[in-house]
Amino acid sequence: MKQLKWTLPKRMHMKGLLLKLALWSILLTTLLLFMPSPLLHLVSLDAWVAANAHYLGLGLLCALAYIGALIVNFLLDEAIAQLQSRRIDEAIEEKIHLLDPTERALLREFFLQGSSVLTMPKDDLVVQGLQKSHILQCIGNERHYAIQGPTADFKISMKARKYLNRRVLRLPAGELSKETMQQLINARPQFINNLAQVRKHAA
């Protein structure tokens, strides 16, 4: 991990140096190649530029090619990121329309507990399915219990929040009655109670 952390800054530093070198090369070679002859003669560079014009031109072309490659690479990265973002949106939207009662019950827990982050079992199939569909996002804090298995903290992803509302989660409008609240509690995922028991046992 430390090696990766060291490698990334080195690569970024190297790219920054190459970019500065390319920009300076473009500036200097352009000035030398297109500067009026009287000015070149004034600084005693006219003969040197005439003798090395082909090298200056080659350096200018190489620097322009490098800058062009960086621009193309940046545009490709942006296009790929846009495509990935669109596919994630499509996956979320498709999953939202196909939520089963167990998945709805799991997502309702965020609203019932009034929390943006909940601890959930990583091996639970429902949790894995919602995470794969980019609706749930794991934010770490992994723990291992002998009985429950590995757990971690999850939150609803930013992209998925705009799709989730009371209608989607089958939550009635307004304040919940005692009967409705009891029905929602009865429909809660089983691991909610299991985790509570595990925490009590661990305490």
Side-chain angles (χ1 to χ4, degrees):
M1 188 66 182
K2 286 186 178 180
Q3 186 178 0
L4 179 62
K5 288 181 179 179
W6 279 102
T7 304
L8 288 178
K10 283 183 180 179
R11 290 181 63 184
M12 292 176 66
H13 183 65
M14 194 66 181
K15 284 186 177 181
L17 288 177
L18 288 174
L19 177 60
K20 289 180 181 178
L21 180 62
L23 291 174
W24 276 109
S25 298
I26 291 173
L27 178 62
L28 292 175
T29 53
T30 301
L31 284 174
L32 291 172
L33 287 172
F34 298 101
M35 186 181 292
S37 297
L39 288 177
L40 287 174
H41 181 72
L42 187 64
V43 293
S44 302
L45 287 175
D46 50 341
W48 184 86
V49 169
N52 297 279
H54 54 293
Y55 292 116
L56 293 172
L58 182 61
L60 177 60
L61 289 176
C62 290
L64 287 173
Y66 180 73
I67 297 295
L70 288 180
I71 294 174
V72 171
N73 189 54
F74 173 77
L75 293 175
L76 285 175
D77 288 343
E78 286 296 307
I80 292 172
Q82 290 276 347
L83 180 60
Q84 289 177 339
S85 179
R86 194 179 310 146
R87 286 181 175 176
I88 289 174
D89 284 334
E90 291 173 354
I92 291 174
E93 192 171 0
E94 182 180 357
K95 184 63 176 178
I96 290 295
H97 288 107
L98 299 174
L99 288 175
D100 61 33
T102 308
E103 292 166 337
R104 281 195 176 87
L106 186 150
L107 294 172
R108 277 199 298 262
E109 279 300 309
F110 290 94
F111 295 86
L112 294 177
Q113 297 191 31
S115 176
S116 60
V117 177
L118 292 179
T119 301
M120 299 183 183
K122 294 185 65 177
D123 296 337
D124 186 83
L125 293 178
V126 178
V127 174
Q128 290 179 352
L130 291 174
Q131 186 180 7
K132 187 177 179 181
S133 301
H134 307 285
I135 295 176
L136 286 182
Q137 180 181 352
C138 181
I139 58 175
N141 195 22
E142 186 172 335
R143 300 184 185 91
H144 292 270
Y145 296 104
I147 301 174
Q148 180 64 38
T151 65
D153 289 345
F154 289 84
K155 69 175 183 178
I156 296 175
S157 67
M158 293 298 296
K159 285 181 172 291
R161 291 181 186 182
K162 62 183 178 182
Y163 295 100
L164 296 176
N165 51 44
R166 286 180 171 266
R167 180 184 60 80
V168 170
L169 298 177
R170 307 286 170 82
L171 285 168
E175 191 173 347
L176 299 178
S177 64
K178 290 183 179 180
E179 292 79 7
T180 303
M181 179 61 77
Q182 189 58 48
Q183 291 175 359
L184 294 176
I185 290 175
N186 292 338
R188 297 172 86 179
Q190 183 61 37
F191 66 76
I192 296 295
N193 298 324
N194 292 343
L195 283 174
Q197 292 175 2
V198 169
R199 291 195 192 98
K200 288 180 181 179
H201 182 72

